[in-house]
Structures are given as structure tokens and as C-alpha cells.
Amino acid sequence: MTVFYGYERPDGSVGVRNHLLVLTPMDCSIEPARKIAVQVEGAVAVTQHHGCGFDWMVANTLIGTGRNPNVAGVLLVGLGCESLTCEVLAEGIQPTGKPVETLVIQEEGGSVRTTEKGVKILRKMAEEISELKREPFPLSKLMLAVECGGSDATSGLAANPAVGVAADMLVDEGGTVVFGETQEMTGTQHVLARRAVDAGVAEAIHAMIGRQELRMRAAGIDSRFMSKGNVEGGLTTIEEKSLGAIRKGGTRPIQGVLGTGREGFDYPSRPGLWLQDGTGWDVPSVTGMVAAGAQVVAFTTGRGSTTGHAIAPVLKVTGNPGTYSRMVDNMDVNAGAILDGSETLHSVGEGIFRDVVEVASGRMTKAEVLGYHDFIVYKTSGLAERLLEVCPPEALRGGRGRSSEAALEPGF
Amino acid sequence: MAKAIQIDERDNVATVTSDVGVGDVVEVLSPEGEVLMRPQMTGAVSFGHKIALKGLVKGDQVVKYGEVIGVASSPIGVGVWVHTHNVESATVPTSVYVEGGA
């Protein structure tokens, strides 16, 4: 049985890193939060940029980030007049049993006093967590997020299938895998639904992707679009294009759909492969999956992406040998060795599985070594979502321009 | 020797990993690296494009990633280039997006 070495949290979850999170409910208080984090080893400050109005989609993503087992302790820094309050975030994070402290700038008497007090709180937390030792845990305590960005023709051929092999190995050893980017699943509903563990999950998959197709049609985008470049690059049908993207999640049964919307934010309730209903935009997609509990991220890229994450190691896998050699400072795995036959899909996939376990046990990824702390909270437009609910699907047509107007009419 | 990769063991097509020309011999590798065949190319095939691993007749399913990616629209011989000229989508015709400029 494979084990990884992590830090056990009070709720029994296992962190692969020992981050201190300085979390601000909105961007008004991010600068003082950064000044606090920069003074304490292992601390990182994050925020969201959707304003201070209360929105569960935003609140839940921030709460999920604080709950992630890679976070050892949380300091909330609020301004004081925001609707999305520190209290709400603290209530969401506290059930994990990790230390959660709050400072409100308007109550503390300004940012200088807040910073001074915040550094003292964080210093104490840092000293305490430094006592924690890594211990061995089964892979049932590990959740891997898979993501792709900056794709090219080698993504569907080498990097995604190789990460898929690793994802299958992790699931077979009792682990959890999540992939999102609902937009990239369009056209593969039938394939994903067939792999659902039951009829209810199959229905949820159809509903999730159907809803995304509706959004895209409302925006005038044909979700089953193939570009001239796709076809010239060798992709014959939309099925082939989409299957290349979803292959990074492997081939195992799908346990369920994890919501990220206002109706609720879901965490996996058991091990296995899960889908997250999330954005196709790389950094917010990773942020969403880490908020759902993923401790490690495997990120495939053909052209070469450099992003990391504030609290989770991101392993970069490229299927393009040229990208690997040009961007070796950013790329962790060269899946391009599959192309010349020097390695096989399976051998590279097994290597990625071992990399994931080693990274989970403390080995730093390239993005971590460089100190990249990407973090973006995604939010759909509440207004647009409401319009889609009241708008009959037949009123939404593909094609440029027309459809967005058609989408607006029926509801009003 | 030029290579072609079978991604899933159920696939009846493989993807070439470099541009190949007429007369070139291509080594087709399974996901485990086993040599499945070494067909000689009867036409040029570009990097990232597919060749057939078995003879297909019109109406046969074309399988890649272990899933149906389309249906043969004309007979396809072993080692022959597989693309929009001899395969159609089972859902939406690919020509619509390309020629229609959607």
C-alpha cells in the first residue's frame, strides 16, 4: 500500500503543506493582510475581487480555502463595514478545529495596529505548527485536482492521457480525484453519464453540462465549436476534441458532481473520481478545486503555463518536449517522452503518480520553489444565472449577437 | 523510426507523433509500449493526425480514448490516414463548424 507523509489536522484530514492563511473577506483589507503575511514564515494572504456584497458562491470558496487541510491556521482580516463578514468565514472554517483568529481594522484602530497585532498572532501560530511532524497516511486521505491550460496538440495525445493513468492509479488505491472545467466537458455528456455510479449522478452530469451549454448559447458561443486549427491539427470530430480534455481525469466511475454555485458548495463525500461544476479559466478553476479539498494539483500544459496556487502544490506536466526544454524552470514532468517512444503512456503515468505522492510528502514543485501564490475566486453573474432560469432554452440560439438579445427578452 | 501512439487499448486508431511521408514505416505502440504493428504509409500524414489500426468499412465506429469519436464514411485500410474525409461525427457534422465559420 502506498503512503504519503502529511500533517494530521484536528478533524482527521491531512495537510501536505503547513500554510498559515491570512484571509480577507474582500480586497479593501488585502494590503494590511499582505503586510502581516510577509513578516511571518509560511504565511500567505489571499482575497477576492467581487466586492463586499454578500454572495454564497464567493463566501463558500473562501471558506473552503480556509478549511483545506494544507492550511494549519487562519487569520481573518476584515475592514469592518463589508456585508461578507469575517464572522461568516470563521463560522465556516471553525468546524475543522484549526486555529481561526479575527482582526477587524475599523475596530482595531487602523491598519498599523491591525498589522502589529496580526503579526503577533501569526508568529504564535507559526511557532506552534512548527512542532507538527509529517506522518504516514494512506492515499484515502489524499485528493488530487487535475487541470489543463495552455493546451496544444500534445495535450490530448500525451499529457492528459498520462495524468489520466496517474488519476486511475490514485483512485484504485483509495484516493480522490476531481476535475472541473464544465465548458470542456460539452459534447461528452453521454460518456461521462455512462460512467456515473448511479442514475441520479448521470442526471446531475447531464444537468450540469446542459446548463453550461445554455450559458454559452446565451453568450452567442457554439459550445460544439471546432476551429480550423483544431481540424488541421488532426482533431476529426467534437467528440475527439472533448475526450482529449476529459481524459486527464482518468477512466474510473464518477461518484458525483460537486456544486460551486449559490445553491451550495460540495465537498466529496467518499473517495473516487468527482466532477466539479466550475469555470474553464485555469487559476479560478484550480482555486475552486482546492477549496473543495484538493491538497495537490496536476496541471497539464502544451504551450507552457507557469501558475501555482496559494496553498496547494501545482505539478506542471507538458506533453510537448520543446516546451519542456524551453521552460524547464516551470515544467515538472516531460510527458513528451511518450512521443518518440522512449517512454510509454503507462510509464509516464506511473511516474506522475509517484511524483504526486512525493509532492504530497513534501517535495516542492517548480511553481512552489518560485513562490507563485496564484489565487482567484470565480463568481458567475447572479443576474445572468437568474435570466437563464426564467428563459426557455429554445429562445437561446447559437451565433453571434442575436442570441444574447434573445436571452434577455422572455424574462422581461 | 516514426511512431504512432494508441492511447487506449480499445482504440482502432493511433496518432502519429511526427510528420510521416509516403513509404515511411510507422511503429505503432500500445499504452504499455508494446509494438502493435509497423505499417508502411501509402500517403503523407501530419503530426497529431490518426491512422487506422484495423480495416474499417463504411458505418464502422472509430474508437479513440476508448470511446466512439465518429463513424467511418468510406472504407479505410490498415495504416491509412483517418480524418474528416473518411469519418463523420456521430453527433454534429464537423464540416458545419469549419465551412460555416460558426
Side-chain angles (χ1 to χ4, degrees), chain A residues 156 194 232 234 236-237 240 339, chain B residues 17 49-50 65 67 69 83:
Chain A
R194 207 165 57 227
E232 284 170 0
T236 304
T237 62
E240 183 182 5
L339 302 183
Chain B
T17 61
H49 286 242
K50 299 171 291 298
Y65 299 111
E67 299 288 346
I69 61 160
H83 203 29

Side-chain angles (χ1 to χ4, degrees), chain A residues 120-152:
Chain A
K120 281 180 184 161
I121 291 169
L122 269 197
R123 270 176 49 189
K124 189 161 172 287
M125 280 190 198
E127 283 168 14
E128 284 164 8
I129 66 165
S130 71
E131 306 270 340
L132 296 170
K133 303 273 186 297
R134 284 189 186 266
E135 292 173 277
F137 290 96
L139 296 184
S140 57
K141 295 284 186 181
L142 188 62
M143 178 171 167
L144 172 72
V146 294
E147 174 73 26
C148 58
S151 299
D152 71 6

Side-chain angles (χ1 to χ4, degrees), chain A residues 349-385:
Chain A
E350 285 162 9
I352 294 168
F353 171 75
R354 287 192 299 272
D355 285 333
V356 166
V357 173
E358 282 173 22
V359 165
S361 301
R363 196 184 89 197
M364 292 175 95
T365 64
K366 298 274 173 83
E368 278 184 299
V369 169
L370 295 171
Y372 294 165
H373 288 158
D374 297 88
F375 184 87
I376 302 175
V377 173
Y378 185 69
K379 181 171 97 82
T380 55
S381 155
L383 173 63
E385 295 295 299

Side-chain angles (χ1 to χ4, degrees), chain A residues 1-267:
Chain A
M1 191 182 70
T2 311
V3 296
F4 72 104
Y5 292 82
Y7 303 102
E8 189 170 25
R9 302 300 174 207
D11 63 352
S13 65
V14 178
V16 306
R17 295 294 182 267
N18 244 350
H19 288 295
L20 291 172
L21 187 69
V22 186
L23 183 60
T24 84
M26 63 163 305
D27 43 18
C28 288
S29 48
I30 185 61
E31 279 305 313
R34 284 191 182 123
K35 301 292 186 208
I36 294 168
V38 78
Q39 295 184 62
V40 181
E41 181 63 28
V44 58
V46 300
T47 190
Q48 56 89 15
H49 301 282
H50 300 288
C52 70
F54 192 86
D55 187 298
W56 271 118
M57 192 169 184
V58 172
N60 280 326
T61 309
L62 296 178
I63 289 168
T65 305
R67 291 174 64 105
N68 186 294
N70 289 356
V71 173
V74 180
L75 173 64
L76 297 163
V77 179
L79 183 61
C81 47
E82 58 271 53
S83 301
L84 172 49
T85 60
C86 287
E87 282 96 322
V88 169
L89 301 183
E91 272 172 32
I93 299 168
Q94 268 157 352
T96 60
K98 67 180 76 171
V100 180
E101 302 272 354
T102 300
L103 290 174
V104 176
I105 294 169
Q106 289 165 355
E107 291 168 12
E108 296 298 331
S111 64
V112 175
R113 289 193 180 93
T114 304
T115 304
E116 188 186 353
K117 202 165 169 184
V119 171
K120 281 180 184 161
I121 291 169
L122 269 197
R123 270 176 49 189
K124 189 161 172 287
M125 280 190 198
E127 283 168 14
E128 284 164 8
I129 66 165
S130 71
E131 306 270 340
L132 296 170
K133 303 273 186 297
R134 284 189 186 266
E135 292 173 277
F137 290 96
L139 296 184
S140 57
K141 295 284 186 181
L142 188 62
M143 178 171 167
L144 172 72
V146 294
E147 174 73 26
C148 58
S151 299
D152 71 6
T154 65
S155 300
L157 174 56
N160 289 353
V163 167
V165 168
D168 283 351
M169 290 177 72
L170 184 57
V171 169
D172 292 346
E173 287 216 37
T176 303
V177 174
V178 60
F179 75 96
E181 302 179 279
T182 313
Q183 188 176 326
E184 298 197 352
M185 302 176 204
T186 58
T188 63
Q189 288 94 319
H190 59 294
V191 175
L192 292 169
R194 207 165 57 227
R195 285 166 51 195
V197 289
D198 61 40
V201 171
E203 199 178 316
I205 291 169
H206 277 294
M208 167 181 72
I209 301 175
R211 192 166 178 78
Q212 180 60 25
E213 289 188 327
L214 208 58
R215 288 188 192 107
M216 293 167 79
R217 272 156 68 193
I221 302 163
D222 183 350
S223 61
R224 304 193 170 191
F225 177 75
M226 275 184 52
S227 70
K228 195 162 166 280
N230 288 154
V231 176
E232 284 170 0
L235 296 175
T236 304
T237 62
I238 185 66
E239 297 95 305
E240 183 182 5
K241 178 180 169 179
S242 299
L243 284 163
I246 66 167
R247 186 72 180 198
K248 64 184 180 289
T251 62
R252 296 300 180 249
I254 294 164
Q255 304 295 322
V257 168
L258 305 174
T260 54
R262 291 166 190 87
E263 70 285 354
F265 189 94
D266 300 311
Y267 301 91

